[in-house]
Amino acid sequence: MKKEMSSFDVRSVVTEMAALENAHMDKIFQWGAGNVLFRINTKNGKEDLFFKDKKWLFLSPDRPDTPVTPTSFATFLRKYLTNARIGKTRQIGFDRIVEMQVFKAEGEYLLIFEMFGGGNVLLVQDGKIVNCLTQRTFRDRTTRPGEEYVMPKERFNPLTSDEDSFKNLFRSSDSDTVRTLATVNNLGGQYAEEVCKRAGVDKTVPAKDADDASVHALHSAVMEIADYVMREPHPTIFRQEGKIVDIAPMDLHIYEDCVKEPMPTISEAIGKFMGENEAEEQREFVDPEIEKLKKRIEKQKETVDAYRVEAERLKAQADSLYTEYQKVSELLTVLGEQCKKLSWEKLTEGALKIPYVSYIDPSKNIVAMKIGILEVELDYTKNIDTNASEIYARGKEQNEKADNAQKALDDSVAELEKKQKGFDKKVAAELAKAKPTKRFWFESYKWFVSSGGRLVIAGRDTHSNDQVVKKHLKEGDVYAHADIHGAPSVILKDGLKASEEELREACWFALAQSKAWMAGSAEGGAFWAYPDQVSKTPNAGEFVPRGAFIIRGKRNYEYHLPLEMGIGEVYYQNERKIMCAPTPVMEKCSEKYYVIRPSKEKNGRMAGDIAKAFEVPEEEVSRILPPGSVDIVRKVLPKPDTDEEE
């Protein structure tokens, strides 16, 4: 399974990141050991640039769960980068390093992503590191705040090299063809295999022995791959037995036996790979601390057992001395007397002639004696009782060590139980946690899809009210607004072709998302108008506040619009979404939805209850509900399948 991005992956992602130029930083989040997310405001809505696990960089197709409280690193970056304008983004050479220009009034910064050697995110100004995710000291550079940022030594770039330099470097290797391409020519293992496959060259041939025709074919294959990645990318997921084994910005011949799944972008391919990989990991939850603790407990058990066994062995030895009391006593007496008269050599020679003596060490006054199946070491300068007492004492010492080791083991087991209990709760929470649905650009606003399939969007606040009109109200659309102060601007896309029913739905939506819902009204009115009637230019002596617009000309009113909405699951572009729309819309497009009305009581938990029912995060529901409290007045659920009688 793929473990990290290749240089070609990085090149492809950087091409996609060109769309972020002139966009602005919104919020920055950081969590875990190496997850940093940059939420960016673009002309088409918000984008999430995700630096995941210190080795993946991509525009996340789904909105990851982010922490409520920012870390110190995220807070620091927000201070420097919030509302900053993004400039050019580039890959450094052919390395896994991405450099993004960021501009603020006080100066220009470089946001640098390193996807090698443990990974890092660095904020650099005027060549110096302002802050970084990971502080490290390498042989040739240091990544710490205040230090000069030294770019890692650039490796060979096969995309810009001519054939002669490629050939010279290739031939300089003592390794085989595929390893040389992977390391010396800086292609990595995946693309080294692919180049050999495309060139039709035996990958096991030593690089020095490759003929000119083979080297030419290899270089041509490299250029062919580069051309595909740069000019005709075809991001692809490769599967074996349903599991993703690799992703690439192009079709790879080395995976001819795999099922190939084309993807719109390399970022979406990475996002899908990450999502499926995390789902797989969730099925096999592992806590490194718990695993480490389990290994410690196993070693502690072995230690306790070893002490107990040794204590029993020593007790058995001491007891055995008294079963052969006379024989042991005689041996100790003889050797005790002879050691004073004979040399070590003579003493050893004589002792080994005794059948039940295994060995003797005169330098330590030790003799090993066989007693039944046991072998007992004795000090022959001491009598049998003294030897037995000393052996009993050593056994007691081993038992005391076993008792102490058992206490440590009991503590470890208690710690494991505590950690396991907490981990089990965490796993249960993770497994129960609802996964967000795919996020679309229009979810920066309030939205729904009309009964005719047309998108309707509305501002959330004064800022997005301005934005929704200035950026998204085009010729051919229709503008709608509730007949009440404090209502959002609503746009029905392609509204000039909409039916009367859809125009009423847009007005209904405009009323429901206004302060009329908070007031608990039963019904109200709204109007629609054409784009050329909507203006920000006030009449003489008037002032148009932020988020407000002037409507000139005829207003087309819809009256007796009920303050009632439906919220339920629908499918948009083959993706499951939870949508809040006028009740008639939900009746036509959803089999599972709730009908809601304004509530006079504060019931902040209602969003959570609805989210649980539809198995999505609470935030996904709360951001589409009308302002204020809601009551569920009716639930519409799919009818259960029943077997027909024959």
Side-chain angles (χ1 to χ4, degrees):
M1 183 181 288
K2 193 179 185 79
K3 299 295 184 183
E4 59 189 9
M5 297 179 76
S6 69
S7 294
F8 281 109
D9 296 336
V10 174
R11 179 60 57 94
S12 188
V13 166
V14 166
T15 301
E16 294 173 4
M17 288 172 64
L20 300 178
E21 188 173 353
N22 292 322
H24 291 80
M25 286 285 184
D26 182 9
K27 289 184 180 178
I28 300 163
F29 305 90
Q30 188 262 321
W31 68 96
N35 295 315
V36 186
L37 185 136
F38 299 83
R39 188 150 290 157
I40 299 169
N41 291 322
T42 72
K43 60 182 179 181
N44 294 320
K46 294 187 188 295
E47 290 278 3
D48 286 338
L49 179 63
F50 197 5
F51 184 67
K52 181 172 174 57
D53 299 333
K54 296 186 183 179
K55 54 187 176 182
W56 300 91
L57 181 68
F58 60 103
L59 294 169
S60 179
D62 301 312
R63 177 158 289 184
D65 291 332
T66 52
V68 176
T69 304
T71 62
S72 57
F73 182 68
T75 302
F76 187 95
L77 290 186
R78 288 184 186 187
K79 175 183 175 183
Y80 281 81
L81 299 182
T82 298
N83 294 325
R85 180 174 63 85
I86 297 173
K88 301 284 186 183
T89 302
R90 68 183 183 118
Q91 180 185 22
I92 304 300
F94 192 60
D95 293 327
R96 287 174 293 166
I97 307 174
V98 174
E99 181 184 274
M100 174 187 282
Q101 294 177 317
V102 186
F103 301 98
K104 286 204 77 172
E106 55 268 28
E108 175 184 343
Y109 298 91
L110 291 176
L111 195 57
I112 299 173
F113 302 90
E114 297 182 349
M115 286 154 279
F116 62 91
N120 211 345
V121 179
L122 306 103
L123 184 65
V124 177
Q125 184 180 36
D126 298 330
K128 285 195 173 184
I129 300 172
V130 181
N131 205 348
C132 55
L133 180 62
T134 304
Q135 299 184 23
R136 297 184 64 185
T137 300
F138 300 89
R139 183 177 60 183
D140 54 352
R141 68 192 190 107
T142 300
T143 56
R144 298 182 188 279
E147 297 284 345
E148 293 285 336
Y149 177 70
V150 178
M151 191 73 69
K153 185 178 179 181
E154 188 171 337
R155 302 179 67 194
F156 180 72
N157 189 342
L159 306 186
T160 58
S161 66
D162 56 31
E163 188 170 338
D164 286 339
S165 60
F166 178 89
K167 181 189 299 183
N168 292 336
L169 193 63
F170 181 80
R171 289 262 173 79
S172 69
S173 172
D174 293 326
S175 190
D176 59 21
T177 294
V178 70
R179 287 185 176 86
T180 299
L181 291 171
T183 56
V184 178
N185 290 100
N186 197 24
L187 288 176
Q190 176 193 44
Y191 287 94
E193 296 274 355
E194 180 69 14
V195 166
C196 291
K197 182 87 171 178
R198 287 175 180 258
V201 174
D202 184 354
K203 65 182 183 180
T204 63
V205 172
K208 288 182 177 179
D209 297 339
D211 56 34
D212 288 345
S214 295
V215 178
H216 174 75
L218 293 171
H219 183 260
S220 297
V222 172
M223 294 299 103
E224 179 187 10
I225 292 172
D227 190 63
Y228 274 121
V229 173
M230 296 298 294
R231 295 179 179 80
E232 299 181 62
H234 295 287
T236 306
I237 288 175
F238 306 94
R239 294 182 182 273
Q240 279 183 345
E241 298 178 355
K243 293 184 178 181
I244 299 177
V245 295
D246 208 343
I247 56 175
M250 58 178 291
D251 185 12
L252 298 178
H253 294 179
I254 57 175
Y255 293 121
E256 57 188 4
D257 295 331
C258 290
V259 175
K260 299 175 182 179
E261 182 181 340
M263 297 296 293
T265 65
I266 189 65
S267 287
E268 290 191 54
I270 295 173
K272 193 163 190 175
F273 172 65
M274 292 286 102
E276 292 191 17
N277 190 39
E278 287 178 355
E280 189 70 25
E281 288 176 354
Q282 284 182 354
R283 285 192 283 272
E284 299 177 2
F285 269 106
V286 174
D287 186 323
E289 289 189 9
I290 288 180
E291 293 304 306
K292 186 177 179 181
L293 192 52
K294 286 180 178 179
K295 290 179 181 179
R296 187 211 301 174
I297 288 172
E298 286 302 315
K299 289 183 178 180
Q300 288 175 326
K301 286 180 178 179
E302 291 174 3
T303 300
V304 171
D305 290 342
Y307 284 143
R308 297 293 187 202
V309 168
E310 180 64 8
E312 288 297 323
R313 187 183 71 84
L314 290 170
K315 182 178 183 301
Q317 286 184 354
D319 290 344
S320 70
L321 297 183
Y322 293 101
T323 62
E324 296 286 348
Y325 189 91
Q326 186 175 352
K327 187 188 294 186
V328 174
S329 185
E330 288 177 354
L331 177 65
L332 293 176
T333 301
V334 170
L335 292 179
E337 292 175 353
Q338 293 301 316
C339 72
K340 300 174 183 177
K341 304 174 184 178
L342 303 176
S343 65
W344 286 358
E345 291 79 8
K346 291 289 185 180
L347 182 65
T348 301
E349 182 181 347
L352 293 178
K353 290 179 181 180
I354 302 173
Y356 47 83
V357 172
S358 300
Y359 63 87
I360 185 171
D361 184 355
S363 66
K364 297 180 180 178
N365 300 327
I366 294 296
V367 64
M369 179 181 181
K370 297 175 185 175
I371 304 177
I373 61 172
L374 299 175
E375 185 177 87
V376 186
E377 283 189 351
L378 301 168
D379 185 340
Y380 53 75
T381 64
K382 300 176 182 178
N383 62 33
I384 185 172
D385 293 326
T386 302
N387 273 287
S389 296
E390 289 181 352
I391 295 174
Y392 279 128
R394 293 206 302 272
K396 183 180 179 182
E397 183 181 333
Q398 292 297 309
N399 267 324
E400 289 174 351
K401 288 182 178 180
D403 291 341
N404 292 333
Q406 183 65 50
K407 290 179 181 177
L409 173 60
D410 293 341
D411 290 342
S412 295
V413 170
E415 184 181 354
L416 174 63
E417 290 176 353
K418 184 178 179 181
K419 283 184 178 292
Q420 190 68 54
K421 187 176 181 180
F423 181 65
D424 289 344
K425 287 183 179 179
K426 181 180 177 182
V427 171
E430 284 293 326
L431 293 175
K433 186 187 293 184
K435 296 298 178 184
T437 60
K438 180 178 179 179
R439 187 172 174 83
F440 293 89
W441 68 266
F442 50 75
E443 292 186 72
S444 300
Y445 309 102
K446 294 293 183 79
W447 66 277
F448 81 96
V449 179
S450 72
S451 56
R454 291 177 171 81
L455 180 64
V456 182
I457 55 176
R460 292 182 176 275
D461 49 34
T462 55
H463 173 72
S464 57
N465 257 350
D466 274 341
Q467 191 179 53
V468 75
V469 173
K470 291 178 180 178
K471 289 189 175 183
H472 301 290
L473 181 60
K474 308 296 182 184
E475 186 177 348
D477 297 339
V478 162
Y479 176 91
H481 197 278
D483 193 21
I484 186 176
H485 179 71
S489 291
V490 177
I491 296 173
L492 171 60
K493 300 300 292 182
D494 200 26
L496 294 185
K497 297 178 182 178
S499 64
E500 290 185 6
E501 184 180 15
E502 289 176 278
L503 293 169
R504 182 173 175 82
E505 290 165 3
C507 291
W508 186 323
F509 185 72
L511 178 67
Q513 297 293 350
S514 73
K515 289 183 178 180
W517 188 282
M518 298 177 67
S521 304
E523 63 175 41
F527 65 86
W528 62 268
Y530 298 105
D532 58 5
Q533 295 179 251
V534 183
S535 174
K536 196 72 175 175
T537 305
N539 295 321
E542 293 182 350
F543 169 73
V544 180
R546 185 179 183 181
F549 293 88
I550 293 175
I551 310 300
R552 294 186 169 91
K554 180 185 176 183
R555 303 183 182 194
N556 302 279
Y557 279 90
E558 294 284 349
Y559 297 106
H560 304 297
L561 297 169
L563 263 295
E564 176 184 280
M565 294 283 277
I567 181 168
E569 59 183 22
V570 297
Y571 281 85
Y572 181 79
Q573 295 184 1
N574 296 321
E575 296 286 344
R576 177 177 177 267
K577 293 297 299 178
I578 304 303
M579 184 173 80
C580 187
T583 311
V585 177
M586 299 305 298
E587 290 174 350
K588 291 182 179 180
C589 67
S590 179
E591 293 184 350
K592 181 180 179 180
Y593 64 92
Y594 292 173
V595 178
I596 57 175
R597 290 177 185 160
S599 173
K600 295 180 180 179
E601 298 179 1
K602 291 185 178 181
N603 47 10
R605 294 183 57 86
M606 193 61 70
D609 294 341
I610 295 173
K612 188 176 181 180
F614 290 103
E615 299 180 343
V616 295
E618 182 177 343
E619 193 257 344
E620 193 165 327
V621 170
S622 61
R623 69 176 180 238
I624 62 174
L625 287 174
S629 298
V630 302
D631 266 341
I632 298 173
V633 297
R634 182 159 52 97
K635 295 181 180 180
V636 179
L637 304 174
K639 294 181 180 179
D641 293 332
T642 56
D643 295 330
E644 295 183 3
E645 296 183 1
E646 296 184 358

